[in-house]
Amino acid sequence: MDIIILTSNLFGSASLHLKELSTSEKVKIKMVVLSEGKILNKKKHYLRRFKKFRKVGLLGALNGIRMRKWYTDRVFEYVEIEPIDKLCKDMGIPFKTTPTINCNKTLEIFEEAKVGLGLSIGNTYISKKVFSIPKYGMINIHYEELPEYQNAIGVIWQLYNKSTHTGYTIHEIDRHIDTGDILKKERMPILFRDSLKHTVANTYANIWKKATKGMKLVVEDFEHHQENKNPQTNGKIYTTPSGYEFLMVIKNFKQLKRTVKTKNPSNYHP
């Protein structure tokens, strides 16, 4: 299968997927594309951010900013990430940049690549004009269970719902975010540590590592997974926790940590 990888992170899980996919004799990575995330429509961008701010409140917005490091810098304490442009150079894989995901340059790059399948790793909304270019469309990896946690950041909302497990889902991309047919999903335990931020980071790193194996299986035998895909029903959409919701996350985390420490010590790593 000839593929093209689209990502919006120079340092992110796409680097891990690239390494894993490059070991397969059934997969040919024709190109990696990095979206630089430039703001082309400032009015639309800031209006969207304002609406989200009104929904989660000031405390929720501040917590959202604080949590960003939990999913980046903190994760890097548990898994080694190389910049994807350097990896491509070392592997001899063509690497290109585009100003933003859905601009004309992205369309041109995808058209020129002429691949069977597109992989989205670490992106926001992708329009149909982009995801419909590859022969078999595009697939996305969501680091949480679907359809239960659409658009949700991993682990946090599971803790809010008093759950001790999380997971990842590989699904087809359609017109909406995280709503496409499911090709593969895997559940795994939350790996509790003494602090919430390290619990999130440790678990997220584990999800990244396991998800690369799952993505490789899907791409290597895509037709099989596509024939056996499952449509999503009764999905629930999440966003950044509000101040009150974040306090509930902290409360539930402390309670669950005590329970796991006693009943499932293998999932507790102080």
Side-chain angles (χ1 to χ4, degrees):
M1 173 71 77
D2 291 349
I3 67 169
I4 185 171
I5 297 175
L6 174 64
T7 184
S8 296
N9 298 303
L10 186 63
F11 290 87
S13 64
S15 294
L16 297 180
H17 285 282
L18 179 62
K19 280 187 174 181
E20 184 66 29
L21 289 167
S22 67
T23 66
S24 175
E25 296 180 354
K26 298 180 180 180
V27 179
K28 181 179 180 181
I29 307 168
K30 294 192 70 174
M31 188 175 297
V32 172
V33 183
L34 174 70
S35 169
E36 297 173 323
K38 293 182 178 179
I39 302 172
L40 302 184
N41 188 327
K42 291 186 177 180
K43 182 179 179 180
K44 185 177 180 180
H45 171 77
Y46 287 112
L47 179 61
R48 183 168 58 248
R49 295 190 67 175
F50 176 71
K51 288 181 178 179
K52 185 174 182 178
F53 175 81
R54 288 186 60 184
K55 184 174 182 178
V56 304
L58 176 60
L59 185 56
L62 292 174
N63 278 326
I65 294 172
R66 180 175 63 167
M67 286 190 295
R68 287 177 190 170
K69 288 189 176 181
W70 300 2
Y71 295 90
T72 53
D73 296 355
R74 294 296 179 188
V75 175
F76 300 156
E77 296 177 20
Y78 298 96
V79 61
E80 184 178 350
I81 299 292
E82 296 182 62
I84 199 162
D85 57 347
K86 180 180 181 300
L87 278 175
C88 287
K89 183 178 180 180
D90 293 343
M91 295 178 179
I93 297 172
F95 175 83
K96 293 189 177 184
T97 60
T98 184
T100 189
I101 293 172
N102 300 305
C103 66
N104 288 334
K105 185 174 180 181
T106 304
L107 300 181
E108 293 172 3
I109 292 173
F110 269 61
E111 290 283 4
E112 291 174 4
K114 293 181 170 51
V115 297
L117 184 67
L119 272 60
S120 168
I121 305 173
N123 299 297
T124 54
Y125 176 75
I126 299 177
S127 69
K128 184 178 180 180
K129 62 183 181 181
V130 174
F131 73 71
S132 62
I133 294 176
K135 181 179 179 180
Y136 298 106
M138 291 186 68
I139 61 176
N140 177 63
I141 184 148
H142 179 59
Y143 296 120
E144 194 45 88
E145 295 185 273
L146 292 177
E148 299 91 341
Y149 292 90
Q150 294 174 350
N151 202 40
I153 52 176
V155 185
I156 287 294
W157 285 109
Q158 292 276 15
L159 293 172
Y160 176 82
N161 291 324
K162 298 182 179 180
S163 172
T164 58
H165 62 77
T166 180
Y168 70 84
T169 308
I170 299 171
H171 64 92
E172 293 181 329
I173 295 179
D174 60 11
R175 290 179 176 271
H176 305 285
I177 296 177
D178 296 335
T179 58
D181 292 347
I182 294 173
L183 301 170
K184 180 178 176 59
K185 63 186 297 186
E186 183 177 354
R187 176 181 288 187
M188 58 199 68
I190 293 174
L191 303 179
F192 285 84
R193 299 187 77 90
D194 283 340
S195 68
L196 175 58
K197 60 186 177 183
H198 280 288
T199 294
V200 170
N202 188 26
T203 303
Y204 218 57
N206 187 51
I207 296 173
W208 279 10
K209 293 173 185 176
K210 292 193 174 183
T212 61
K213 308 292 184 183
M215 179 66 85
K216 181 180 176 182
L217 290 174
V218 170
V219 178
E220 286 185 329
D221 198 4
F222 182 72
E223 291 186 5
H224 167 75
H225 285 87
Q226 191 178 46
E227 289 173 0
N228 294 278
K229 63 186 179 183
N230 296 302
Q232 294 192 50
T233 56
N234 302 319
K236 186 169 183 180
I237 300 173
Y238 288 85
T239 185
T240 304
S242 66
Y244 170 76
E245 289 168 335
F246 188 74
L247 290 176
M248 292 304 298
V249 170
I250 295 174
K251 178 184 176 182
N252 293 343
F253 163 70
K254 292 178 179 179
Q255 293 176 344
L256 292 169
K257 182 177 68 172
R258 287 194 295 267
T259 301
V260 169
K261 190 175 181 179
T262 302
K263 296 183 177 181
N264 299 292
S266 62
N267 295 332
Y268 176 72
H269 306 272

